[in-house]
Amino acid sequence: MFTGKQSWAFPTYPSILSSGVVAGPFEAQSPLKDTFDYIFDDRRMGENTFEKAQVVLMEEACQQAVQKAGKTMQDVAFIYGGDLINQDTGTSFAMRTLNVPYYGLFGACSTSMEALSLAAQAVELGAPLVLAGTASHYAAIEKQFRFPIEYGAQRPLTAQRTVTAGGAALLGPNGSNIIVTKSTIGKVVDHGIKDPYNMGAAMAPAAVDTILAHFEDFQVDENDYDLIITGDLGNVGRSLALEWFRQKEHPMPEAKFQDCGLLIYENAPEAMAGASGTGCSAAVIFGKILDDITNGRLKRVLAVATGALLSPVTTQQKESIPGIAHAVTLEAKGGSA
């Protein structure tokens, strides 16, 4: 049901039946590693290129989600997904083996919640089972957007490390204690940031814009949520977002405003300002956050995946970097307003 100016309410409360999260060997050091379903010990996942390795991450995340629900791919009506590799090939190539009708998306690192919102709509419209997922690979994405890791380029402190992980959620009309109740679709916001090593600054204004739009559309605020978590703003972006909230005369309590990019690597020096990548929010939200809701540590979460809509060509042409953010409300069943 369309609500306000840019939001959807889901009155039938689509359920998240299960999720799958897989990760690479560097992510085995994560404090969240126990919420991952499978960790590869080879950063190539047995393949001969990093791009093919990312395909494996997407395939395995979807398979994990379906198997945990006791289903097969033949039971799934649609998959919503996308990634950061040119033309979404990391996801599209995974669909060759998954063999499920596929909606290809590009929202950069906002793809996880874009896909989840659309999957919830599909379930409301009668689809029996729908997958939402994405994946990213550190080496593949660094090569495309910045430099191949073998080049050894120096990275500034504002840089973030792309997560090598895949995450997927399986949605159905009922059968779970975790439900999707609301979503707010973000606008493109561009404040003139041109540095591809400063994604947090490029995305922060979009995150604030979407969160405040969500509050307005549903007449709620941060007090209605146990946690508001962004996708991959990192240290720089989160600090800027908190300042932007203050400038908008809506100060946000720091303890309630967290970021997936800061949780997955904690203080690992290799991550610089934090984590990024489409797999970042997917791994944390479809792993730790759903686990916290399942076990009663959280009752209502606003998950806000953030994306920087740049390409290698636009960076070379000195274009600024547009940002976008999509928000989805996840709740424990019985805790909805």
Side-chain angles (χ1 to χ4, degrees):
M1 180 174 65
F2 184 68
T3 300
K5 294 182 177 180
Q6 58 192 85
S7 297
W8 296 98
F10 303 114
T12 67
Y13 299 158
S15 298
I16 297 181
L17 304 179
S18 61
S19 64
V21 176
V22 298
F26 182 80
E27 287 66 27
Q29 306 169 47
S30 170
L32 308 185
K33 63 182 182 298
D34 290 341
T35 65
F36 304 156
D37 295 295
Y38 185 81
I39 298 174
F40 291 88
D41 57 10
D42 167 22
R43 66 177 183 170
R44 291 183 183 267
M45 288 76 194
E47 300 292 335
N48 60 5
T49 71
F50 295 124
E51 289 76 14
K52 290 180 180 178
Q54 184 177 303
V55 172
V56 172
L57 288 167
M58 182 64 178
E59 291 171 339
E60 186 61 27
C62 291
Q63 292 286 5
Q64 288 280 344
V66 169
Q67 291 169 11
K68 286 165 67 178
K71 305 293 183 180
T72 69
M73 283 297 165
Q74 287 70 38
D75 299 314
V76 179
F78 303 107
I79 293 178
Y80 290 85
D83 61 273
L84 292 168
I85 297 177
N86 287 335
Q87 289 79 50
D88 278 352
T89 49
T91 308
S92 299
F93 282 28
M95 298 306 125
R96 298 187 298 190
T97 57
L98 296 180
N99 195 31
V100 173
Y102 160 58
Y103 285 95
L105 310 174
F106 181 78
C109 299
S110 71
T111 299
S112 61
M113 292 303 102
E114 180 183 12
L116 190 63
S117 175
L118 290 167
Q121 292 181 41
V123 170
E124 285 238 310
L125 291 171
L129 293 174
V130 182
L131 273 168
T134 185
S136 57
H137 192 292
Y138 170 59
I141 305 310
E142 286 300 309
K143 178 170 68 176
Q144 176 166 309
F145 286 96
R146 286 165 286 269
F147 295 99
I149 57 174
E150 295 86 352
Y151 183 75
Q154 295 298 301
R155 302 163 68 224
L157 292 177
T158 57
Q160 296 170 242
R161 182 187 174 98
T162 301
V163 171
T164 298
L170 182 67
L171 283 75
N174 50 53
S176 167
N177 289 325
I178 302 177
I179 55 178
V180 179
T181 59
K182 306 177 182 72
S183 72
T184 297
I185 305 307
K187 300 175 183 177
V188 171
V189 180
D190 189 336
H191 278 224
I193 301 297
K194 295 184 178 182
D195 183 1
Y197 284 105
N198 196 358
M199 297 291 94
M203 297 184 291
V208 174
D209 187 79
T210 296
I211 292 167
L212 293 180
H214 181 85
F215 289 171
E216 178 66 24
D217 282 354
F218 291 105
Q219 293 298 292
V220 297
D221 62 21
E222 64 276 6
N223 296 311
D224 293 287
Y225 289 94
D226 298 316
L227 177 68
I228 297 172
I229 188 164
T230 50
D232 57 347
L233 296 183
N235 277 318
V236 175
R238 179 173 178 268
S239 296
L240 289 171
L242 288 167
E243 177 57 31
W244 197 245
F245 277 120
R246 286 190 285 268
Q247 292 187 22
K248 294 283 187 179
E249 299 183 347
H250 193 120
M252 181 69 67
E254 292 192 28
K256 187 167 284 192
F257 185 64
Q258 300 296 325
D259 182 68
C260 297
L262 295 175
L263 295 180
I264 194 165
Y265 290 146
E266 207 167 38
N267 297 316
E270 299 93 334
M272 312 296 280
S276 64
T278 55
C280 178
S281 60
V284 176
I285 293 168
F286 296 152
K288 174 181 170 51
I289 299 304
L290 293 186
D291 184 67
D292 284 348
I293 296 173
T294 297
N295 290 292
R297 292 185 289 271
L298 296 169
K299 292 184 178 179
R300 184 180 292 124
V301 175
L302 184 63
V304 189
T306 42
L309 303 175
L310 78 164
S311 77
V313 172
T314 61
T315 298
Q316 292 162 6
Q317 294 175 345
K318 309 301 182 184
E319 285 276 2
S320 56
I321 302 170
I324 195 164
H326 303 299
V328 176
T329 300
L330 306 172
E331 302 191 23
K333 196 171 185 178
S336 58

